[in-house]
Amino acid sequence: ADHKKGIVHQAVEISNKSKESKYLEIVTEVLDQNGKLVLRSASKDQVKENTVKEIRLKDLILTNPQLWSVASPSLYRIKMQLKIGRKIVDEIETPYGIRSVRWSKGLKPSGDPRLLVNGEAVFINGIAEYEHKLGQSHAFEREEIDARIRQIRTLGFNSFRDAHQPHNLRYQQAWDQHGILLWTQLAAHIWFDTPAFR
């Protein structure tokens, strides 16, 4: 890939729980790391009463995007607003990295066994963690997660495997921000299907 263009596919699911059809506008803004608006998209649609509707929006096309990588984890912020008339009835903001990943050792081997991020080889230097704490199960505090992330970064690791169970979502935010690759193991064990875990 030449990395001159980044394409972000958009879809939104809207639930209209009212007893009347709603005409709405969906506005998407893409902001760079400095908060500068780089792209804006708007789309109008209708959602009938008591309906959940998935709406596919126009692709967002970024020219010469700032690429996310292990060395330079550039993140955009995608802000989406749902408007009825002039009133904003819902909005969400999502950090978003644009990158290409290729590991040609998979289904179509090319002879190059390296992991390529944005066309450049990345040596995976990783660590695995069980999110356990004696007497506290999986209930980590924010400070404990931040401390573990600082340890991982200080030791020079660039990838993380969450061993066998879902980790706190703060971990995912940190990996995106700090350029850490994630290998997730969500479905390895089933004993967490309990009322206490849920």
Side-chain angles (χ1 to χ4, degrees):
D2 60 11
H3 303 118
K4 291 183 179 173
K5 181 169 66 171
I7 301 172
V8 180
H9 306 294
Q10 296 187 91
V12 62
E13 186 178 271
I14 297 175
S15 174
N16 179 6
K17 296 180 180 175
S18 73
K19 295 179 180 175
E20 58 186 46
S21 187
K22 299 283 183 183
Y23 292 90
L24 48 91
E25 182 180 23
I26 303 158
V27 178
T28 307
E29 294 181 340
V30 181
L31 301 106
D32 67 13
Q33 291 201 116
N34 300 316
K36 179 184 172 190
L37 179 68
V38 294
L39 194 62
R40 186 176 193 277
S41 171
S43 178
K44 295 189 176 184
D45 212 310
Q46 177 185 11
V47 181
K48 294 186 177 180
E49 63 278 1
N50 292 312
T51 303
V52 176
K53 181 178 182 180
E54 182 176 305
I55 302 170
R56 293 205 172 275
L57 304 171
K58 290 184 293 186
D59 289 345
L60 301 171
I61 300 175
L62 286 82
T63 306
N64 296 317
Q66 298 172 330
L67 299 178
W68 183 98
S69 70
V70 171
S72 178
S74 297
L75 290 173
Y76 287 92
R77 290 182 1 240
I78 297 180
K79 188 160 92 175
M80 185 175 280
Q81 294 180 332
L82 178 63
K83 296 167 112 179
I84 296 178
R86 293 179 181 225
K87 184 179 178 187
I88 298 169
V89 294
D90 199 2
E91 65 183 324
I92 188 167
E93 190 172 294
T94 308
Y96 197 88
I98 295 174
R99 80 287 179 269
S100 68
V101 176
R102 185 166 176 232
W103 200 347
S104 58
K105 205 173 176 182
L107 295 174
K108 297 180 181 177
S110 70
D112 185 349
R114 300 175 302 168
L115 171 68
L116 303 176
V117 178
N118 304 325
E120 297 188 12
V122 174
F123 178 77
I124 301 171
N125 182 19
I127 188 169
E129 176 190 78
Y130 286 82
E131 196 184 18
H132 291 209
K133 185 171 63 170
L134 186 63
Q136 297 294 317
S137 185
H138 303 277
F140 279 24
E141 300 289 337
R142 176 188 291 272
E143 293 79 13
E144 293 170 302
I145 294 168
D146 291 344
R148 285 176 174 232
I149 290 163
R150 279 194 306 275
Q151 291 170 340
I152 289 164
R153 293 189 68 226
T154 301
L155 292 168
F157 293 109
N158 68 3
S159 69
F160 179 85
R161 175 176 173 247
D162 56 1
H164 304 320
Q165 73 276 336
H167 276 46
N168 189 302
L169 293 177
R170 288 188 182 110
Y171 278 97
Q172 179 64 55
Q173 294 165 0
W175 307 150
D176 291 345
Q177 291 168 358
H178 297 298
I180 306 263
L181 302 168
L182 171 66
W183 183 308
T184 191
Q185 300 287 311
L186 293 184
H189 293 299
I190 59 168
W191 65 73
F192 296 105
D193 187 17
T194 67
F197 186 73
R198 285 194 294 273

